[in-house]
Amino acid sequence: MTQQQQQSNASRNVFVVTNCDSLVGYAMAYRCLEAMEKREEGPEISGHKLRLLCRSRSGYGLSRLEKMGAEVMEVNYKDEDKMRHCMKDVMCVMMIPEFSSDREKEAECLIKAAKHQHVEHMSMLSCIGVDRIHKSENNQQVSEYRNLEQICHIEKMVKEEFSGEKHCIVRFPMLYQLFYYLAPQIEGENRLPLPVEKNKKFTSLDLNDVVEGVYRLAKKQRERFAGRQIEEQFKKQVYEFTCPKPLNGEEMAREIGEGLGRHDLKFQHISESDIKKQLEHIKKDERFKERPDQRGDFKKGRDGFWSFPINKFIHESKIETMMEWWRLANKGQLDMHTDDLRHILDREPHSLKRYFEENRDQFKRFK
């Protein structure tokens, strides 16, 4: 490395998280800022800044993150000049693909801008199952999995433009936090309605564990940049985060029921159109408009204001992506297990029962 390159790297003191007006993006940003506040980071991170990109600031609680020290930038991801400006002095980018019909074009623009500004490392948060679309037996794959296909293409772009050790992709499944959208049925009607056949098992996870795992990976990456040796489990380019044991709908209902202290919760197989109606209903539900005030605790799996799925997160593209994921589950493609997350956390990820025990009071609000 030339002296000029070393000086250039020294001046790169900005880390970027995209899509911070989403559930995962907001939680990820909060975890990084909390670490900076608590001085959890090593000396190699002092003086660094966090830049958060969003489509819209309005109604997402982003001012809370600004008060913690973040720089928030409202962007049009397809504006290449603007994206280049966003990538100025940036060392690492954590890209969370948008929930939009243009997500592929937006990601391409972001990746090009990062490459143009000599960003060192690109990480991407992706979905479990994107590499299994074509394993499902159906001749209408492109139309049936349009959103997951796009995410798969974005993965390929990242691998090509930031090849070798310059990229890291983390795939994760459906999050326990999405059960809040079913809380009125769980708490009020004693049923767990899902568009999955009762014998189909699939993996799901606590957002707290996903964020903690990604945060630990990012921290190790920064240590590597600083010239420190890191363990082998932190050197992979693709990680697949799963729970210890995939469950079917009836097993999920049992674990959720035990976690909530009610043992008669029943699983109900419903249609895609029924779950869409439920999500459309939640979009108008005032209880999902504001974030709760609780601070929460990542390590215990206790939700805080940063991990609650407000109804502004329910976009058309988000709903369609969820439906595609359920279709993969119905094809048996999400009955899978890896030890990636366990190795990174150095413990088992939170079980569904444990998560509901920890967040029982949050769910009781929807009775």
Side-chain angles (χ1 to χ4, degrees):
M1 190 182 287
T2 67
Q3 190 176 1
Q4 189 178 3
Q5 283 173 316
Q6 284 176 332
Q7 285 170 345
S8 168
N9 279 352
S11 69
R12 294 181 182 282
N13 65 344
V14 179
F15 299 111
V16 165
V17 180
T18 76
N19 198 0
C20 286
D21 41 355
S22 70
L23 176 63
V24 177
Y26 192 98
M28 200 69 244
Y30 176 75
R31 178 66 185 97
C32 295
L33 290 163
E34 182 189 67
M36 289 173 169
E37 270 192 345
K38 291 182 176 177
R39 306 253 190 267
E40 286 181 35
E41 301 281 4
E44 65 274 356
I45 205 71
S46 61
H48 284 67
K49 299 170 190 166
L50 191 66
R51 183 176 295 158
L52 309 179
L53 307 188
C54 65
R55 284 172 182 281
S56 168
R57 299 171 56 98
S58 176
Y60 291 99
L62 289 163
S63 57
R64 237 167 151 162
L65 303 183
E66 272 182 317
K67 283 174 189 162
M68 294 174 75
E71 176 191 8
V72 177
M73 295 179 80
E74 206 171 62
V75 299
N76 170 3
Y77 288 99
K78 289 187 286 187
D79 182 339
E80 212 160 320
D81 287 338
K82 176 72 172 176
M83 294 317 297
R84 283 181 182 181
H85 175 66
C86 292
M87 296 297 120
K88 191 169 171 11
D89 299 326
V90 172
M91 180 181 270
C92 305
V93 174
M94 183 180 297
M95 176 172 62
I96 302 165
E98 292 291 308
F99 284 106
S100 80
S101 56
D102 277 337
R103 63 159 70 88
E104 225 175 313
K105 177 70 182 164
E106 290 165 338
E108 183 183 8
C109 195
L110 172 74
I111 291 165
K112 275 185 181 171
K115 191 85 174 167
H116 181 269
Q117 296 286 40
H118 308 293
V119 167
E120 287 286 313
H121 191 271
M122 171 80 67
S123 58
M124 173 186 171
L125 301 194
S126 184
C127 298
I128 285 280
V130 292
D131 58 333
R132 295 176 163 221
I133 299 165
H134 298 296
K135 291 179 186 172
S136 57
E137 297 167 20
N138 197 302
N139 295 323
Q140 298 174 315
Q141 287 151 342
V142 175
S143 59
E144 196 178 13
Y145 298 110
R146 188 176 58 83
N147 290 278
L148 293 180
E149 282 273 9
Q150 288 174 350
I151 294 169
C152 194
H153 291 159
I154 295 169
E155 279 194 9
K156 286 176 185 161
M157 280 191 267
V158 169
K159 289 172 184 174
E160 284 166 12
E161 295 297 329
F162 288 83
S163 56
E165 293 183 346
K166 287 182 171 286
H167 77 272
C168 175
I169 293 167
V170 177
R171 297 175 183 151
F172 62 91
M174 183 193 128
L175 300 168
Y176 296 165
Q177 279 71 8
L178 294 178
F179 285 115
Y180 282 111
Y181 291 149
L182 302 178
Q185 280 85 0
I186 292 170
E187 286 293 346
E189 300 168 25
N190 222 27
R191 63 189 178 95
L192 173 66
L194 290 172
V196 183
E197 295 163 26
K198 70 175 182 179
N199 62 330
K200 298 296 183 185
K201 296 192 174 196
F202 58 95
T203 184
S204 55
L205 275 177
D206 179 4
L207 173 63
N208 296 288
D209 282 337
V210 171
V211 167
E212 190 64 26
V214 173
Y215 169 74
R216 288 184 179 212
L217 281 175
K219 189 175 178 184
K220 289 292 182 182
Q221 186 62 46
R222 293 194 288 271
E223 287 175 11
R224 192 170 70 81
F225 277 143
R228 289 164 63 180
Q229 288 295 314
I230 60 172
E231 303 91 322
E232 283 303 312
Q233 68 259 38
F234 294 101
K235 291 180 179 176
K236 288 169 65 171
Q237 259 62 64
V238 178
Y239 292 87
E240 297 201 299
F241 287 1
T242 72
C243 61
K245 187 182 167 196
L247 303 172
N248 63 33
E250 289 184 335
E251 290 165 334
M252 284 189 157
R254 186 163 62 248
E255 287 221 1
I256 291 170
E258 287 174 5
L260 292 174
R262 51 167 68 204
H263 300 275
D264 50 353
L265 185 69
K266 293 285 183 282
F267 167 74
Q268 182 186 21
H269 177 207
I270 61 170
S271 66
E272 281 188 19
S273 62
D274 282 343
I275 196 96
K276 281 183 180 178
K277 281 178 196 161
Q278 168 62 10
L279 292 169
E280 290 295 336
H281 178 72
I282 293 293
K283 276 168 97 167
K284 304 181 192 87
D285 191 325
E286 288 293 313
R287 293 173 295 181
F288 288 87
K289 193 174 179 183
E290 304 289 339
R291 297 175 182 278
D293 283 332
Q294 286 92 333
R295 193 159 178 86
D297 188 325
F298 281 99
K299 288 172 183 148
K300 289 183 179 173
R302 186 174 302 145
D303 286 327
F305 68 90
W306 37 267
S307 58
F308 181 75
I310 55 175
N311 50 17
K312 277 179 81 78
F313 294 148
I314 306 176
H315 314 291
E316 188 59 38
S317 179
K318 169 91 174 178
I319 294 173
E320 289 304 326
T321 307
M322 286 168 72
M323 296 308 122
E324 291 176 19
W325 204 79
W326 296 125
R327 281 172 218 151
L328 267 185
N330 274 322
K331 300 258 172 58
Q333 294 297 334
L334 300 179
D335 182 356
M336 57 188 292
H337 166 70
T338 77
D339 285 322
D340 284 356
L341 185 54
R342 182 171 65 83
H343 287 320
I344 290 163
L345 295 176
D346 205 22
R347 62 167 171 78
E348 286 288 3
H350 301 136
S351 69
L352 194 56
K353 178 183 173 184
R354 157 86 187 270
Y355 170 77
F356 272 87
E357 282 173 343
E358 201 64 51
N359 293 286
R360 188 181 289 188
D361 290 344
Q362 291 267 47
F363 278 86
K364 295 289 182 206
R365 295 186 296 124
F366 296 97
K367 268 195 165 174

